[in-house]
Amino acid sequence: MAKIYFDQDGDLSVLKGKVVSVLGYGNQGTAQAHNLRDSGVKVIVGNVRDSSYEHAVADGFDCFEVSEAVKRADYHLLLVPDEIMPRMFELDVLPNLKNGQAIVLASGYNITYGFLKYPEYIDVLMIAPRMIGTGVRKGYLEGSGFPSLVGVHQNYTGEAQKVLLAISKAIGTLKGGAVESNCDEETLCDLFNEHFGYVYALRRAYEILVESGASPEAAMLEFWASGEEMELARVHMTYGLFHQLKLHSQTSQYGQEVTSRLTPEEEENERKRLRRLIANIKDGTFAKDWALEQQAGFPVWNRVHMENMSHPMIAEEERLLRLLGVLERDTEEN
Ligand code: NDP
C-alpha cells in the first residue's frame, strides 16, 4: 500500500521566513498561489509580461519576470505548460537558482523523459494534483482539499521531505490526502488515463445509437449531456466502483455486471490495446512523437482536430447545449 499523507504530516513553520515563487499563473498557478497566500506563506508570481501577468497583479500578487521571481524566492513552483518548461528552466530559472533551494513540479513528465536538466545542488520535488486548477482552489476554500501524488525526486539538502509536506499542506492537498509516489509513476498513470480513449468511446456510443434510430439528442443525453456523469463520478468516488451499483435498478445492475462484460477474446484484444499504450509511454515512443509533433508545428493534431470538429455530432451538440442553457464555451473563450 502506498503511504498517504494528511494535514498532521505537514509543518507550515518549515516555510517561515521563506519566499515561494509561483512560476506561471495559469490553471494551477492561479489556484496554488491563492492557496499558499491564504495559508500565510509569502508568495510571489513569475510570468511572461502578458495578460496572465496583469491578472496576477490585479489579484494582489507581487509579480515579476520569471528570472527576477527566481532571484527573490527560495522555493519555486514550476507551473508553466510542460512543453515550454525545459526551455524556461534553462534560460530563466537555472541561472538564478541558489544552492539548497527547491523546485516543485506538478507533473513528472519532464523528469521521466529527461527533458529538465536540473543541477545536483537543489531539491527536486513533485506535488501533482489529481484535480484541475478550479478544483484545487474550490477544495481549499471548502476545506475538503484535493488529492495529489507527491514525492521527493532529489534530496540534496536532506530536508526535502519536510519541505514537500509543508508546501503540500500550504496548497491544501494534505486535507484531501497526498499519496507517496514518484515522477515515473505519475507520468505513467497520467498519460495512460489521457490515452485510454474516453471521448472516442463516448462518441462511438453516440454514433451507434444514432445509426440504430435514436435521435442525436437522446443519444447525447444518455451518455454525457444530461450531467448524470457528474453524479456517477461522485458515487464512484464515495461508494466504490462496484458498490455503487446498488444505487441502480436491478435491470441496470444485471446489464452492467453481466451483459456488458467482454467475451474472453474481446477482453484479450482490449488488454493488448491497453498494454500497447503502456509500452509507448514506458519506452518513450509517445514522448518522442509528441516532441516531433511540436517541432513540426502540430500537423497531425491540427488535422485530427479539424476532422473531429467537422463531425456532424458537433453541430447537434452545440444546438442541444444551447437549448438546455448549459453551454459554457462562449464565456470561457471571451
Ligand atoms: P497553463 O497552461 O494553465 O498555464 C501556464 C502559465 O504559464 C500561464 O500563466 C502562461 O501565461 C504561463 N506561460 C506560458 N509561457 C510562458 C513562458 N514562456 N514563460 C513564463 N510563463 C509562461 O498550465 P497548467 O496550469 O495547466 O499546467 C501547469 C503544470 O501543472 C504542468 O506541469 C501541468 O502538467 C500540471 N498540471 C496541470 C493540471 C491542470 O489541471 N491543468 C492538473 C495537474 C497538473 P500565458 O497564458 O499568459 O501565456
Side-chain angles (χ1 to χ4, degrees), residues 209-228:
L209 265 181
V210 171
E211 113 192 352
S212 311
S215 70
E217 291 78 8
M220 286 184 281
L221 283 170
E222 191 58 48
F223 275 94
W224 68 88
S226 69
E228 188 186 19

PDB file of all heavy atoms in Angstrom, residues 209-228:
ATOM      1  N   LEU A 209     -25.770   4.522 -31.435  1.00  0.00           N
ATOM      2  CA  LEU A 209     -27.166   4.755 -31.036  1.00  0.00           C
ATOM      3  C   LEU A 209     -27.919   5.480 -32.150  1.00  0.00           C
ATOM      4  O   LEU A 209     -29.050   5.123 -32.476  1.00  0.00           O
ATOM      5  CB  LEU A 209     -27.221   5.598 -29.755  1.00  0.00           C
ATOM      6  CG  LEU A 209     -27.349   4.841 -28.439  1.00  0.00           C
ATOM      7  CD1 LEU A 209     -27.425   5.835 -27.274  1.00  0.00           C
ATOM      8  CD2 LEU A 209     -28.587   3.947 -28.421  1.00  0.00           C
ATOM      9  N   VAL A 210     -27.294   6.504 -32.726  1.00  0.00           N
ATOM     10  CA  VAL A 210     -27.962   7.277 -33.783  1.00  0.00           C
ATOM     11  C   VAL A 210     -28.185   6.399 -35.008  1.00  0.00           C
ATOM     12  O   VAL A 210     -29.267   6.405 -35.602  1.00  0.00           O
ATOM     13  CB  VAL A 210     -27.152   8.554 -34.126  1.00  0.00           C
ATOM     14  CG1 VAL A 210     -27.690   9.248 -35.362  1.00  0.00           C
ATOM     15  CG2 VAL A 210     -27.171   9.516 -32.935  1.00  0.00           C
ATOM     16  N   GLU A 211     -27.198   5.583 -35.355  1.00  0.00           N
ATOM     17  CA  GLU A 211     -27.369   4.710 -36.527  1.00  0.00           C
ATOM     18  C   GLU A 211     -28.446   3.657 -36.252  1.00  0.00           C
ATOM     19  O   GLU A 211     -29.038   3.097 -37.167  1.00  0.00           O
ATOM     20  CB  GLU A 211     -26.006   4.108 -36.941  1.00  0.00           C
ATOM     21  CG  GLU A 211     -25.828   2.659 -36.785  1.00  0.00           C
ATOM     22  CD  GLU A 211     -24.373   2.179 -36.935  1.00  0.00           C
ATOM     23  OE1 GLU A 211     -23.476   2.951 -37.315  1.00  0.00           O
ATOM     24  OE2 GLU A 211     -24.167   0.992 -36.651  1.00  0.00           O
ATOM     25  N   SER A 212     -28.761   3.436 -34.960  1.00  0.00           N
ATOM     26  CA  SER A 212     -29.790   2.451 -34.602  1.00  0.00           C
ATOM     27  C   SER A 212     -31.163   3.083 -34.434  1.00  0.00           C
ATOM     28  O   SER A 212     -32.095   2.443 -33.957  1.00  0.00           O
ATOM     29  CB  SER A 212     -29.419   1.750 -33.299  1.00  0.00           C
ATOM     30  OG  SER A 212     -28.102   1.313 -33.341  1.00  0.00           O
ATOM     31  N   GLY A 213     -31.265   4.374 -34.747  1.00  0.00           N
ATOM     32  CA  GLY A 213     -32.577   5.012 -34.746  1.00  0.00           C
ATOM     33  C   GLY A 213     -32.815   6.008 -33.623  1.00  0.00           C
ATOM     34  O   GLY A 213     -33.853   6.665 -33.593  1.00  0.00           O
ATOM     35  N   ALA A 214     -31.894   6.161 -32.673  1.00  0.00           N
ATOM     36  CA  ALA A 214     -32.099   7.158 -31.600  1.00  0.00           C
ATOM     37  C   ALA A 214     -31.859   8.556 -32.166  1.00  0.00           C
ATOM     38  O   ALA A 214     -31.067   8.733 -33.106  1.00  0.00           O
ATOM     39  CB  ALA A 214     -31.137   6.888 -30.453  1.00  0.00           C
ATOM     40  N   SER A 215     -32.522   9.555 -31.582  1.00  0.00           N
ATOM     41  CA  SER A 215     -32.244  10.933 -32.012  1.00  0.00           C
ATOM     42  C   SER A 215     -30.883  11.331 -31.443  1.00  0.00           C
ATOM     43  O   SER A 215     -30.470  10.811 -30.390  1.00  0.00           O
ATOM     44  CB  SER A 215     -33.322  11.885 -31.489  1.00  0.00           C
ATOM     45  OG  SER A 215     -33.204  12.026 -30.092  1.00  0.00           O
ATOM     46  N   PRO A 216     -30.184  12.269 -32.095  1.00  0.00           N
ATOM     47  CA  PRO A 216     -28.905  12.739 -31.535  1.00  0.00           C
ATOM     48  C   PRO A 216     -29.079  13.259 -30.114  1.00  0.00           C
ATOM     49  O   PRO A 216     -28.232  13.037 -29.250  1.00  0.00           O
ATOM     50  CB  PRO A 216     -28.490  13.867 -32.487  1.00  0.00           C
ATOM     51  CG  PRO A 216     -29.175  13.556 -33.771  1.00  0.00           C
ATOM     52  CD  PRO A 216     -30.472  12.890 -33.404  1.00  0.00           C
ATOM     53  N   GLU A 217     -30.218  13.932 -29.860  1.00  0.00           N
ATOM     54  CA  GLU A 217     -30.446  14.496 -28.522  1.00  0.00           C
ATOM     55  C   GLU A 217     -30.520  13.379 -27.478  1.00  0.00           C
ATOM     56  O   GLU A 217     -29.898  13.462 -26.408  1.00  0.00           O
ATOM     57  CB  GLU A 217     -31.752  15.318 -28.490  1.00  0.00           C
ATOM     58  CG  GLU A 217     -31.711  16.599 -29.283  1.00  0.00           C
ATOM     59  CD  GLU A 217     -31.867  16.376 -30.794  1.00  0.00           C
ATOM     60  OE1 GLU A 217     -32.170  15.231 -31.221  1.00  0.00           O
ATOM     61  OE2 GLU A 217     -31.659  17.333 -31.549  1.00  0.00           O
ATOM     62  N   ALA A 218     -31.316  12.349 -27.797  1.00  0.00           N
ATOM     63  CA  ALA A 218     -31.470  11.244 -26.838  1.00  0.00           C
ATOM     64  C   ALA A 218     -30.120  10.566 -26.597  1.00  0.00           C
ATOM     65  O   ALA A 218     -29.767  10.217 -25.459  1.00  0.00           O
ATOM     66  CB  ALA A 218     -32.489  10.231 -27.353  1.00  0.00           C
ATOM     67  N   ALA A 219     -29.346  10.396 -27.696  1.00  0.00           N
ATOM     68  CA  ALA A 219     -28.049   9.712 -27.562  1.00  0.00           C
ATOM     69  C   ALA A 219     -27.086  10.526 -26.700  1.00  0.00           C
ATOM     70  O   ALA A 219     -26.405   9.989 -25.819  1.00  0.00           O
ATOM     71  CB  ALA A 219     -27.452   9.470 -28.951  1.00  0.00           C
ATOM     72  N   MET A 220     -27.053  11.836 -26.926  1.00  0.00           N
ATOM     73  CA  MET A 220     -26.113  12.671 -26.154  1.00  0.00           C
ATOM     74  C   MET A 220     -26.531  12.775 -24.692  1.00  0.00           C
ATOM     75  O   MET A 220     -25.696  12.742 -23.790  1.00  0.00           O
ATOM     76  CB  MET A 220     -26.016  14.070 -26.782  1.00  0.00           C
ATOM     77  CG  MET A 220     -25.209  14.063 -28.062  1.00  0.00           C
ATOM     78  SD  MET A 220     -24.978  15.706 -28.750  1.00  0.00           S
ATOM     79  CE  MET A 220     -26.552  15.983 -29.525  1.00  0.00           C
ATOM     80  N   LEU A 221     -27.864  12.895 -24.477  1.00  0.00           N
ATOM     81  CA  LEU A 221     -28.330  12.962 -23.090  1.00  0.00           C
ATOM     82  C   LEU A 221     -28.015  11.670 -22.354  1.00  0.00           C
ATOM     83  O   LEU A 221     -27.655  11.677 -21.181  1.00  0.00           O
ATOM     84  CB  LEU A 221     -29.844  13.217 -23.048  1.00  0.00           C
ATOM     85  CG  LEU A 221     -30.250  14.672 -23.328  1.00  0.00           C
ATOM     86  CD1 LEU A 221     -31.757  14.782 -23.513  1.00  0.00           C
ATOM     87  CD2 LEU A 221     -29.795  15.590 -22.196  1.00  0.00           C
ATOM     88  N   GLU A 222     -28.110  10.547 -23.067  1.00  0.00           N
ATOM     89  CA  GLU A 222     -27.841   9.260 -22.435  1.00  0.00           C
ATOM     90  C   GLU A 222     -26.393   9.176 -21.967  1.00  0.00           C
ATOM     91  O   GLU A 222     -26.094   8.669 -20.893  1.00  0.00           O
ATOM     92  CB  GLU A 222     -28.129   8.132 -23.435  1.00  0.00           C
ATOM     93  CG  GLU A 222     -28.140   6.753 -22.836  1.00  0.00           C
ATOM     94  CD  GLU A 222     -29.165   6.628 -21.708  1.00  0.00           C
ATOM     95  OE1 GLU A 222     -30.318   7.054 -21.895  1.00  0.00           O
ATOM     96  OE2 GLU A 222     -28.778   6.135 -20.635  1.00  0.00           O
ATOM     97  N   PHE A 223     -25.477   9.701 -22.813  1.00  0.00           N
ATOM     98  CA  PHE A 223     -24.065   9.462 -22.498  1.00  0.00           C
ATOM     99  C   PHE A 223     -23.330  10.612 -21.823  1.00  0.00           C
ATOM    100  O   PHE A 223     -22.390  10.364 -21.077  1.00  0.00           O
ATOM    101  CB  PHE A 223     -23.319   8.988 -23.752  1.00  0.00           C
ATOM    102  CG  PHE A 223     -23.457   7.497 -23.929  1.00  0.00           C
ATOM    103  CD1 PHE A 223     -24.454   6.960 -24.714  1.00  0.00           C
ATOM    104  CD2 PHE A 223     -22.629   6.633 -23.233  1.00  0.00           C
ATOM    105  CE1 PHE A 223     -24.610   5.586 -24.833  1.00  0.00           C
ATOM    106  CE2 PHE A 223     -22.770   5.258 -23.342  1.00  0.00           C
ATOM    107  CZ  PHE A 223     -23.774   4.727 -24.143  1.00  0.00           C
ATOM    108  N   TRP A 224     -23.680  11.868 -22.117  1.00  0.00           N
ATOM    109  CA  TRP A 224     -22.927  12.930 -21.414  1.00  0.00           C
ATOM    110  C   TRP A 224     -23.686  14.232 -21.204  1.00  0.00           C
ATOM    111  O   TRP A 224     -23.381  14.962 -20.258  1.00  0.00           O
ATOM    112  CB  TRP A 224     -21.585  13.229 -22.106  1.00  0.00           C
ATOM    113  CG  TRP A 224     -21.648  13.870 -23.467  1.00  0.00           C
ATOM    114  CD1 TRP A 224     -21.693  15.207 -23.738  1.00  0.00           C
ATOM    115  CD2 TRP A 224     -21.646  13.203 -24.730  1.00  0.00           C
ATOM    116  NE1 TRP A 224     -21.729  15.410 -25.090  1.00  0.00           N
ATOM    117  CE2 TRP A 224     -21.687  14.193 -25.733  1.00  0.00           C
ATOM    118  CE3 TRP A 224     -21.602  11.880 -25.127  1.00  0.00           C
ATOM    119  CZ2 TRP A 224     -21.710  13.894 -27.095  1.00  0.00           C
ATOM    120  CZ3 TRP A 224     -21.616  11.575 -26.492  1.00  0.00           C
ATOM    121  CH2 TRP A 224     -21.666  12.574 -27.447  1.00  0.00           C
ATOM    122  N   ALA A 225     -24.680  14.548 -22.040  1.00  0.00           N
ATOM    123  CA  ALA A 225     -25.216  15.915 -21.980  1.00  0.00           C
ATOM    124  C   ALA A 225     -26.197  16.149 -20.831  1.00  0.00           C
ATOM    125  O   ALA A 225     -26.609  17.286 -20.598  1.00  0.00           O
ATOM    126  CB  ALA A 225     -25.880  16.262 -23.315  1.00  0.00           C
ATOM    127  N   SER A 226     -26.571  15.103 -20.106  1.00  0.00           N
ATOM    128  CA  SER A 226     -27.532  15.297 -19.010  1.00  0.00           C
ATOM    129  C   SER A 226     -26.849  15.718 -17.722  1.00  0.00           C
ATOM    130  O   SER A 226     -27.490  16.221 -16.797  1.00  0.00           O
ATOM    131  CB  SER A 226     -28.293  14.000 -18.742  1.00  0.00           C
ATOM    132  OG  SER A 226     -27.404  13.047 -18.175  1.00  0.00           O
ATOM    133  N   GLY A 227     -25.539  15.466 -17.629  1.00  0.00           N
ATOM    134  CA  GLY A 227     -24.841  15.750 -16.375  1.00  0.00           C
ATOM    135  C   GLY A 227     -24.898  14.575 -15.403  1.00  0.00           C
ATOM    136  O   GLY A 227     -24.335  14.641 -14.310  1.00  0.00           O
ATOM    137  N   GLU A 228     -25.581  13.482 -15.800  1.00  0.00           N
ATOM    138  CA  GLU A 228     -25.658  12.315 -14.908  1.00  0.00           C
ATOM    139  C   GLU A 228     -24.256  11.784 -14.591  1.00  0.00           C
ATOM    140  O   GLU A 228     -24.002  11.261 -13.511  1.00  0.00           O
ATOM    141  CB  GLU A 228     -26.502  11.213 -15.558  1.00  0.00           C
ATOM    142  CG  GLU A 228     -26.797  10.054 -14.618  1.00  0.00           C
ATOM    143  CD  GLU A 228     -27.507   8.881 -15.305  1.00  0.00           C
ATOM    144  OE1 GLU A 228     -27.459   8.800 -16.542  1.00  0.00           O
ATOM    145  OE2 GLU A 228     -28.102   8.065 -14.586  1.00  0.00           O
TER     146      GLU A 228
END
